[in-house]
Amino acid sequence: MTIKFGTDGWRAVISDTFTFSNLRLVAQAIADYVLEEGENHPEVVIGFDTRFLSDRYAAEAARVLAGNGIVAHLTRADAPTPAISYAVLHKEASAGVMITASHNAPRYNGLKLKASFGGAALPEQAEHVEAYLTRNQERARWPNVMDYETAIDQNLIRRFDPAWAYYEHLGGLIDLDLISRSELRVVADAMYGSGRKCIADMLARTRCRVVEIRGDMNPGFGGIHPEPVAHYLSALAAAIQAHHADIGLATDGDGDRLGAMDDLGNFVDPHHIFSLALQYLVEERGWRGTVVKSISTTRMVDRLASRYELPLVETPVGFNHIADQILNDDVLIGGEESGGISIRGHIPEGDGVLMGLLLLEILANAGCPLHELVEALQSKVGPAHYARRDIPLRTPISKGKMVQRLLDEAPDTMAGETVTDVDTLDGVKYLLSDDSWLLIRPSGTEPVLRVYAEARDREMVDALLAYGEQAAGKR
């Protein structure tokens, strides 16, 4: 049995590979890694989302850590991933564990490993944990597990609420007074995930009217993927219309991603959220610094960075790569197309709650509807249209072989435009003469092949996606 960490931890199907037994093995490997670091009296923060058995899995991980003499700060209830990551930093813990499969289908669960700096573990840290996991299995070493009540009595498992320290921190990053004066009507769509109540709690003392939908406990997520993309947000569109709202904010299964809808029910994707945030932070707050984006993110960000004469860094997909840049550079904003975005002063972690509040601040400052802000952005650095298609994989695919084949078969032209460059930073990205692009890469979190495209009009996007699907289908 092989357990591998992907772009953001370990994910697997519940009762297939994601079992209590396997989780204990992973928790023991994490304990070994934490103890190897040599800190006196190490402590680890543990949180969980709203998925089936997530609370039980989290308690089991805490028992293993306690069995190794490590204090486990275990949340009392489900919480968003960024709140757990902030708690790691706030408590000066050695690491963090978040039981979640984020935006994946309900049949999945997973484990995100957090480093002491309050962000996703770096690739080399995850590799160390995997090495301990392999070694322990080879030596048939079983996990050390302490009885839960005994661990509580010995103060090795400590229950806590991460919300208020997290909320206080967010309040220092966002102008809640400005938001309050706008008296916005907001629909917060938790998508049944652990971001529930967060936006409503943050706005509780403002003059905004907030309605939360899909905020009850539903481990099946209402039969959808808890991913804030247009396909799963019909309930949000209906709620905006019913409540005459100015904006809808949707967070994913563990609250680290954001999608939005304007007052007309149009989906506002993370590309536009990222671009609007960059524009606002530079033009209204006067911020300067490096802009970091994943390879699958809009070139509107490139155009804005160029306009503001800011350095731009492009990374492979996965917020851990962006976190690495944040830790080693003066980063103004960093994010990716999936909706994970962070700004200066925050932890190196995508945060849907933070970005939702920042979008409200942007809207309050502008004093006009969100759809007008999007139209103005498109006039400034567009037009830009984007789409992504996911191709299910029946059998695993070798990323290296796929990249080499696509390189060997790279065309001179695509959809009538010249291919000016081919980038292999993560998968294969074709850059065209009209500034459009096509990216093909295997997902690091799901058994799918992702095909992304951005172009000046929707017809070109469709043509690029069709080519990408055909090229990917030749595997």
Side-chain angles (χ1 to χ4, degrees):
M1 184 272 301
T2 301
I3 295 173
K4 295 291 292 181
F5 282 64
T7 54
D8 197 4
W10 167 51
R11 296 181 197 177
V13 175
I14 299 169
S15 295
D16 180 0
T17 304
F18 201 93
T19 62
F20 282 103
S21 177
N22 287 344
L23 177 69
R24 284 190 286 268
L25 293 174
V26 174
Q28 181 61 54
I30 292 171
D32 291 338
Y33 170 72
V34 169
L35 293 171
E36 179 195 51
E37 295 299 290
E39 291 187 30
N40 293 324
H41 312 295
E43 301 180 6
V44 173
V45 173
I46 303 177
F48 54 92
D49 69 2
T50 55
R51 287 173 183 269
F52 179 62
L53 292 178
S54 280
D55 57 337
R56 294 282 304 278
Y57 289 130
E60 202 68 8
R63 291 178 62 213
V64 173
L65 293 172
N68 286 272
I70 298 171
V71 171
H73 295 279
L74 177 62
T75 60
R76 296 184 184 279
D78 58 273
T81 287
I84 300 306
S85 295
Y86 182 74
V88 173
L89 196 64
H90 185 251
K91 290 182 175 295
E92 299 181 347
S94 301
V97 170
M98 178 68 183
I99 302 298
T100 180
S102 190
H103 61 283
N104 284 44
R107 67 182 181 278
Y108 284 87
N109 213 322
L111 181 151
K112 292 184 176 181
L113 178 62
K114 303 301 173 182
S116 60
F117 51 76
L122 299 175
E124 55 267 28
Q125 294 172 313
E127 288 169 5
H128 277 140
V129 172
E130 287 182 337
Y132 272 114
L133 182 62
T134 300
R135 187 197 66 177
N136 290 345
Q137 289 178 279
E138 289 174 347
R139 298 179 181 180
R141 181 192 171 201
W142 300 108
N144 301 320
V145 184
M146 180 177 283
D147 174 72
Y148 177 83
E149 295 299 334
T150 301
I152 290 285
D153 291 342
Q154 294 185 13
N155 209 29
L156 285 169
I157 294 180
R158 305 173 186 175
R159 304 306 293 259
F160 83 108
D161 182 355
W164 301 112
Y166 172 61
Y167 290 165
E168 184 178 27
H169 171 67
L170 293 183
L173 295 171
I174 300 297
D175 189 341
L176 291 172
D177 290 336
L178 174 59
I179 294 173
S180 182
R181 288 194 296 272
S182 71
E183 300 185 4
L184 291 167
R185 292 163 295 183
V186 181
V187 177
D189 184 359
M191 301 192 78
Y192 303 112
S194 57
R196 59 193 186 137
K197 299 184 178 68
C198 291
I199 289 173
D201 283 348
M202 286 296 300
L203 298 178
R205 295 185 180 181
T206 72
R207 297 202 297 266
C208 296
R209 291 175 54 194
V210 184
V211 174
E212 183 176 75
I213 64 170
R214 298 196 286 190
D216 50 323
M217 179 66 77
N218 185 337
F221 300 106
I224 64 167
H225 292 212
E227 184 176 12
V229 296
H231 181 65
Y232 300 123
L233 296 181
S234 57
L236 178 56
I240 290 170
Q241 183 179 29
H243 296 281
H244 305 285
D246 299 301
I247 187 172
L249 302 172
T251 49
D252 75 327
D254 67 330
D256 65 351
R257 297 181 174 188
L258 177 74
M261 278 189 167
D262 65 23
D263 53 308
L264 303 178
N266 300 311
F267 179 59
V268 180
D269 63 31
H271 301 281
H272 287 85
I273 296 169
F274 190 151
S275 301
L276 287 170
L278 172 57
Q279 176 181 260
Y280 178 78
L281 294 174
V282 173
E283 296 186 4
E284 299 298 330
R285 290 194 181 182
W287 287 13
R288 308 285 299 172
T290 300
V291 178
V292 184
K293 68 168 191 122
S294 65
I295 193 172
S296 57
T297 305
T298 178
R299 289 182 68 84
M300 288 191 293
V301 170
D302 303 53
R303 295 174 199 129
L304 285 169
S306 176
R307 177 181 290 234
Y308 301 137
E309 298 182 341
L310 298 176
L312 177 75
V313 175
E314 194 166 77
T315 72
V317 172
F319 205 91
N320 55 331
H321 300 290
I322 295 170
D324 193 28
Q325 292 292 327
I326 292 173
L327 293 170
N328 293 289
D329 198 354
D330 178 23
V331 173
L332 184 162
I333 186 170
E336 49 184 354
E337 63 86 24
S338 60
I341 309 170
S342 188
I343 64 173
R344 178 184 291 145
H346 194 40
I347 51 175
E349 177 86 279
D351 191 334
V353 179
L354 168 69
M355 294 310 298
L357 294 170
L358 181 59
L359 192 54
L360 294 182
E361 182 181 328
I362 293 168
L363 198 58
N365 179 77
C368 67
L370 180 55
H371 72 267
E372 291 185 11
L373 289 180
V374 171
E375 289 169 3
L377 180 73
Q378 284 280 345
S379 297
K380 186 175 185 177
V381 289
H385 298 273
Y386 167 90
R388 185 189 89 194
R389 291 181 187 165
D390 294 345
I391 305 172
L393 292 172
R394 294 182 180 178
T395 57
I397 186 170
S398 167
K399 189 171 186 178
K401 288 182 178 178
M402 184 202 75
V403 168
Q404 189 57 55
R405 179 179 63 76
L406 292 174
L407 277 175
D408 292 342
E409 299 174 359
D412 295 325
T413 63
M414 191 180 296
E417 294 291 335
T418 302
V419 176
T420 58
D421 195 13
V422 181
D423 190 336
T424 58
L425 179 65
D426 187 353
V428 176
K429 184 176 185 179
Y430 305 97
L431 303 167
L432 308 185
S433 55
D434 68 343
D435 217 25
S436 58
W437 54 267
L438 171 71
L439 172 65
I440 303 172
R441 58 175 290 276
S443 169
T445 59
E446 299 177 82
V448 299
L449 194 64
R450 301 204 194 280
V451 180
Y452 315 74
E454 183 180 52
R456 298 282 184 176
D457 56 61
R458 296 192 183 280
E459 290 75 19
M460 183 64 168
V461 169
D462 290 341
L464 291 176
L465 288 176
Y467 177 88
E469 288 185 302
Q470 182 184 23
K474 292 180 181 178
R475 66 185 186 278

